[in-house]
Amino acid sequence: MSYETLYGMLPGYAGIADLTARAQEINLALAQEQITPDEQASLLEDLVRTQVIVDEAQYHEQKLFANQLIKVLASLPMPS
Amino acid sequence: MALLKKLLVVSSIALTACAVKFDPVEHSRMVDVRHRVHQAQTEQHCADPKMARYQAENLDNDATWLLFYTQYIPNNDSAEKMATELKKTTEDFVKRYRDTEKPPSKVFCELRLKNIATQIEIIQRTNARRPR
């Protein structure tokens, strides 16, 4: 398994969350008076929490990646 | 070189020991949360405050269960941290239906469900990729 193949296995969690688009959607709902300022603040707090989850997921992936990489390196034949 | 290889083998064993294996019980509850959010979204439960409150309470119960389950498992800090964030989101959701005389708006409910859906999807994906 190549380094690129291994690295390609890392999913992009930030893309799933798309926090910028979500923040715009929340702010638009406030502008259109569909939600109150208090509700807007609460929904924006969700995004902060989602960012924490994304960061943790990325950290988890890096650990998995390091694990796989070490296994691959350890399996390589020793040069004579 | 032989020393380096030994070091890699030891590191590999150490990292494998640190990696928590896939847990089908934990995963099952994540699916429950996702399924409940999906059901609330597709059946438009936000349009009915009573139904929305019912779903918010169920979601919070599931998130509490998930948080408790992730705790005290060695090397499971990541899962616990993520479950804590999810729990904060569901807790605020249900609190708004319980505490306020006027229920939250339909749009608030829909946006909150979207946020919960994103959070649980990332948590589930992370869990699913754990080694079997």
Side-chain angles (χ1 to χ4, degrees), chain A residues 41-52:
Chain A
S42 170
L43 290 166
L44 291 176
E45 277 175 29
D46 288 357
L47 303 189
V48 176
R49 289 191 283 266
T50 305
Q51 184 62 56
V52 174

Side-chain angles (χ1 to χ4, degrees), chain B:
Chain B
M1 197 65 197
L3 181 68
L4 179 65
K5 180 141 184 173
K6 271 184 194 166
L7 191 67
L8 285 171
V9 172
V10 170
S11 308
S12 177
I13 292 165
L15 272 171
T16 307
C18 287
V20 175
K21 298 274 183 198
F22 175 79
D23 181 342
V25 177
E26 198 174 349
H27 199 79
S28 166
R29 191 51 60 113
M30 292 170 188
V31 174
D32 284 347
V33 175
R34 251 189 101 190
H35 180 244
R36 197 176 289 285
V37 173
H38 176 76
Q39 190 184 28
Q41 286 175 322
T42 52
E43 294 176 17
Q44 299 187 355
H45 289 164
C46 288
D48 176 0
K50 276 186 186 170
M51 201 60 196
R53 177 180 171 158
Y54 172 76
Q55 288 293 28
E57 283 173 345
N58 283 327
L59 280 169
D60 190 49
N61 282 336
D62 285 346
T64 306
W65 190 99
L66 187 63
L67 175 62
F68 288 173
Y69 190 87
T70 57
Q71 290 173 334
Y72 311 122
I73 297 173
N75 303 312
N76 204 33
D77 300 355
S78 278
E80 185 183 343
K81 201 169 174 183
M82 289 192 281
T84 302
E85 298 305 317
L86 175 71
K87 167 66 185 163
K88 285 179 194 168
T89 308
T90 59
E91 200 169 65
D92 182 75
F93 194 24
V94 78
K95 193 169 173 280
R96 282 171 184 275
Y97 281 99
R98 281 181 185 153
D99 293 355
T100 52
E101 285 179 20
K102 193 181 167 213
S105 65
K106 177 176 173 277
V107 173
F108 169 82
C109 172
E110 287 168 349
L111 291 170
R112 174 54 56 86
L113 284 178
K114 255 187 172 180
N115 290 342
I116 294 172
T118 304
Q119 291 180 355
I120 193 62
E121 186 183 343
I122 295 167
I123 293 170
Q124 190 195 346
R125 274 178 186 241
T126 309
N127 191 61
R129 288 171 54 76
R130 284 178 171 176
R132 279 0 186 228

Side-chain angles (χ1 to χ4, degrees), chain A residues 6 9-11 13 56-72, chain B residues 15-16 18-22 125-132:
Chain A
L6 274 173
M9 285 163 60
L10 294 179
Y13 289 103
E56 206 55 41
Q58 302 283 24
Y59 173 63
H60 180 82
E61 290 297 332
Q62 283 161 8
K63 279 198 293 187
L64 280 181
F65 175 69
N67 198 354
Q68 290 279 13
L69 191 61
I70 285 173
K71 275 184 185 170
V72 170
Chain B
L15 272 171
T16 307
C18 287
V20 175
K21 298 274 183 198
F22 175 79
R125 274 178 186 241
T126 309
N127 191 61
R129 288 171 54 76
R130 284 178 171 176
R132 279 0 186 228

